[in-house]
Structures are given as C-alpha cells and as structure tokens.
Amino acid sequence: MLALRLTRGAHPAVQLRRALVALASAGTGFLLLCSLGYAMSHADHVTSSMLRLAWCLTPMAATVHLAVAVARTDPATRPRPGLSAIGLGPGRLMTISATTTALSCTLGSLLALVLFLQLRGDLAGAPLEGTAAQFLAADQPLPFPAAVTLLALVPAIASATVALILRPRDAQPATARPMRGYGRFGAYGRSVARETFGAYGRFGAHGRTTGSRTAEPAGAAGAAESAESADAAAPSANGSRPAEEAAAVPAPDPDPTRPPGPRTAPAGLPWGIAVLAAGLAVEAYADRAGDGSRLALPGGLATGAPGVLAGWALTALGLALAGPGLTHLCGRLLQSARPGALRLLAGRVLMEEATRIGRPLGVVCAVASGVFAMTALLDAHEPGFGPLSTFGTLLVAGCTVATLLTAAVEAKHERADTTAALLRLGAPATMLRSAAALRAGALLAAFAPLTLIVAELAALPLAHR
C-alpha cells in the first residue's frame, strides 16, 4: 500500500521514468510471447525456436538495466535521516523500491498480453495475416500457463536485481574479535604494560576529576598524571583502546545505496581491454577454424559460427567494463597541459562520475557497435531486418540510451549542492553549461571512434561468409 501511495504522489519526471520501464517491459514481454507463438507454429523446428527465445535475453537484460537505473534515481525511496524512527529504514526502503519496480514491470507485461491477444483475434476483430501470422499462432489455443510464466520473468528478475543492488550494506568494517585476556584481579581485558600490585588505587588517582587535580599539591600531581597515562594505556572493557575504537568506527553514510565517486582510476580498464581483445580474437579464430556449422540469426541477419556470437558477447562485455576507466581517463586528459577553470571543472566532474556515467556509456557503445555490425552484415537474400528484429533492436537501443540519460540525471542531482555553491560564489551559469558541453564533447570524441573501430573489427570475420 505504501508503494502504491508513493507511486501515485511522485514527481512527473519520476512517473515518466517508471512509464519507460513499463513500456520496456511490455516490449520484452511481447517478444517473449512472439517466441512462444513461433514455437507453437513450428513445432518441428526446435532449434530455431530455442534460438529465438534466447535472442530475447538481450532485450530482457536491457530492460532490467533500465529498471535498476530508474530505481536508483527514485527520490521517494532514498534514505533520509529520521525515517528509521518510523519504520522506514534502509531495508524497508529497499523493499519499497523492489515492489515499485515489480508493479511497473507487471503493468508492462499485462499490456504485452493484451496486445498479443488482440493481434491474435482472441479479444476482438480478426487475427493478422501474412508474415506476422507465424509469430501469433492464431489457429491454436494459447497455453496460458506458459504465457504467464514467460511474462513473469521480467518483473521477477527486475525486482530481484533491484533488491540485490539496493540492499542495505553495513557501513562499519568487520573487525576481528580480540582474544580473551584477564587484567588486574581477573578483570576482563588485556593490558599492554604489566602493572605492579596496588597501582590501581595508588595515591587515589582512580576516579579523580580534572578540577580536583588543580587543588592537589605539587608532589601528588606527577603521580596523578602517571596514573592517568596508565589508565589511558589500559584497554577498555571489550579489549580495545578507546582511541583505536574511535578511529576504527567510520562516520555513517546517509545514503548507503549511492555509489561513491572514485578517488582513483577505476580498476576495470585493463580488464575491459583484455576482454575486448579476447572477444575479437575469439571471433577471428572461430570463423577461421570453424567446422562448418552455422547458426542462423532471426530476422534476416547474417549467419555465423556459434563462436563468433560468443566473441560478440565478450566484446560487448569488454566495452562495458572499460567504460568507467575511459571516462576517468577523459577527465584526466581534460585537466592536462595547464588547464583553466573551465577544463579543470569539466575534468574533475568526469573523474568523480566515472563509475556512474562510464558503465552505461560503455553499454551504449557496445549496443551501437553491434547494431552497426549487424547492419553491415545484412543477408543479401533478405530485404532487411524482419519486423521483430527491428522492434527488438529499437527496444535494446532505446533502453540503453534511456539508462544513460537516467544516470546523467542522477549525477546532476548528486552534484546539485556543488552547483549551488558555485553559483553563490559568483560562477556564471554560462560557464557551467560550457563545462557540461565540454564533458559531452570529450566523451563523444573518445567513444565514437572506439565504437566504429570495434564494429568494423567485429564485422570482419563475417564479411567473407
């Protein structure tokens, strides 16, 4: 009930992002139902049916990625001080985020089911004819258990992923439990220096206040100071010193779900380059040393060996891993060679937002390179993409672009206090807009050639099919 109230009372921009999640879920659900209809119409083509069902994993992954990005930017489920007192702690807010995501995806799945039944002619009107008839199986009854199972995949996976990403994390690091020791007279604890008998109460040092020390004679002041230093060196009741305890306990994070800005370069750039090179090598080796087996992609796309498709997947993974590191590198290059205030501001923002912006940007580059390669490798016997291939490609591209824009909005909200402080200090608004344009230009100059190069290299193994 609370999730429904938060959904109804959200900002229009938040509602728009949730509507995008619902539309993406509807598109993925419609592709899954079309795969079910194709399997019903072609019962003797099991391999082709399984391939079409596996092809739907890419739109499903893009939809889940978008749902996670939208859940992270939802202001209604962000931890705030004082909410734990009324029962809205990080765990409860995580549950609300997962429930809201499940509601949006379920709405999209219901829209997909209604559209599929309408095209089949089960609700009203006549079913579609022609090429689309093989994906609808209008002449056969629809197995509702199978349809409901397929439609429940997106809400279940999306809500589980949101709950996993936004789960509350313990801000205090786990420390090893000290070994049990016994101090003076069997007291629990462990002292660093051995004490002589009677040092505990010598000269009445235990329990003295600061005010009483000032009234003591000069002879007893030195003994009191030595006793005070001994008490400071003695451990506390749990076996650790108070100063060490204060240094070991970090300040609590008001928003534990927010990814911290990297102070150093992200560690994924070498791994991303290695995976990218491995993917390109797998593509070249699989096409050259293939055993003649070909895997026909749906929608009139080029055929190729299964190893080539595995190489494409590794290439996309490599671009996604290298995205944060490349974004951080762009920010560092902007600050090189005696930068001014504009380049310094743009570079520092890119370095701070490398993880938040770089990974969605790497996914967009992977999708763009894949679309470019598939467009260059269209089968000559087909007029172009099939209807479902075109729809699926547009769905994946739209989800990745929407995820990138959502991450940009999240980054803008995170640095709102910094922007306000700069405006109060007298920084002109034109300089902030120029810094944003400079960041966009630097990212475009770095990622656009990389996307084209990877697309050309990925298309080479299938160019002479």
Side-chain angles (χ1 to χ4, degrees):
M1 186 61 67
L2 181 59
L4 289 175
R5 290 181 178 180
L6 292 176
T7 302
R8 291 177 54 189
H11 193 269
V14 179
Q15 299 285 17
L16 177 61
R17 292 195 288 267
R18 291 172 180 170
L20 289 178
V21 174
L23 290 178
S25 177
T28 306
F30 183 76
L31 289 177
L32 290 172
L33 291 179
C34 289
S35 300
L36 177 61
Y38 183 86
M40 294 168 55
S41 301
H42 303 77
D44 51 343
H45 297 80
V46 180
T47 304
S48 179
S49 301
M50 292 298 296
L51 179 60
R52 292 179 181 274
L53 185 61
W55 186 81
C56 296
L57 293 179
T58 303
M60 186 182 300
T63 303
V64 172
H65 193 201
L66 176 61
V68 171
V70 170
R72 291 171 63 97
T73 57
D74 194 350
T77 57
R78 182 166 298 179
R80 296 182 181 89
L83 289 181
S84 298
I86 59 175
L88 293 178
R92 181 71 181 277
L93 293 178
M94 178 268 296
T95 305
I96 293 175
S97 298
T99 305
T100 305
T101 303
L103 289 176
S104 301
C105 294
T106 303
L107 177 61
S109 298
L110 292 178
L111 291 177
L113 180 60
V114 170
L115 178 61
F116 188 75
L117 293 178
Q118 178 67 31
L119 294 179
R120 279 173 50 91
D122 295 338
L123 298 180
L128 291 181
E129 298 180 356
T131 309
Q134 60 177 340
F135 303 104
L136 300 177
D139 55 342
Q140 302 180 22
L142 181 65
F144 277 96
V148 171
T149 301
L150 291 177
L151 292 177
L153 289 178
V154 177
I157 296 176
S159 59
T161 306
V162 168
L164 180 63
I165 296 298
L166 302 183
R167 70 187 186 278
R169 297 176 176 86
D170 189 8
Q172 299 182 0
T175 57
R177 182 179 179 88
M179 297 179 62
R180 183 172 181 176
Y182 295 93
R184 63 178 73 88
F185 300 109
Y188 181 77
R190 179 178 294 274
S191 60
V192 179
R194 298 180 61 87
E195 296 179 356
T196 59
F197 182 82
Y200 180 77
R202 184 175 299 140
F203 300 111
H206 179 69
R208 283 183 180 174
T209 60
T210 307
S212 63
R213 291 196 187 99
T214 58
E216 291 177 354
E225 291 177 359
S226 62
E228 182 182 358
S229 61
D231 290 340
S236 59
N238 58 357
S240 59
R241 297 182 181 180
E244 295 178 356
E245 288 183 355
V249 177
D253 190 1
D255 188 2
T257 63
R258 181 180 58 192
R263 297 298 179 182
T264 58
L269 182 57
W271 291 102
I273 295 176
V275 174
L276 177 62
L280 295 176
V282 166
E283 292 177 24
Y285 180 78
D287 186 73
R288 180 173 300 180
D291 54 353
S293 60
R294 294 286 176 175
L295 194 61
L297 296 178
L301 301 178
T303 60
V308 175
L309 302 181
W312 279 7
L314 287 177
T315 303
L317 180 60
L319 286 174
L321 290 177
L326 290 177
T327 305
H328 191 275
L329 182 60
C330 289
R332 185 172 294 275
L333 291 178
L334 279 178
Q335 302 176 72
S336 60
R338 302 180 63 181
L342 181 62
R343 287 199 292 134
L344 186 63
L345 178 61
R348 288 297 177 88
V349 171
L350 277 183
M351 291 176 64
E352 291 294 328
E353 298 174 356
T355 303
R356 186 179 291 111
I357 297 295
R359 186 161 288 115
L361 187 58
V363 174
V364 169
C365 291
V367 172
S369 62
V371 171
F372 183 83
M374 288 189 300
T375 305
L377 295 175
L378 281 176
D379 198 342
H381 300 286
E382 296 288 340
F385 285 150
L388 292 183
S389 298
T390 304
F391 178 71
T393 303
L394 293 178
L395 177 62
V396 172
C399 287
T400 52
V401 172
T403 303
L404 178 60
L405 295 179
T406 303
V409 170
E410 180 187 4
K412 181 180 179 181
H413 290 167
E414 289 296 331
R415 65 173 185 270
D417 296 338
T418 304
T419 304
L422 289 175
L423 292 177
R424 286 195 303 267
L425 291 175
T430 55
M431 188 186 71
L432 299 179
R433 289 194 291 266
S434 300
L438 184 59
R439 293 194 302 269
L443 293 177
L444 184 63
F447 282 90
L450 177 64
T451 303
L452 294 178
I453 292 173
V454 171
E456 290 289 345
L457 293 177
L460 280 179
L462 298 179
H464 304 287
R465 63 186 187 274

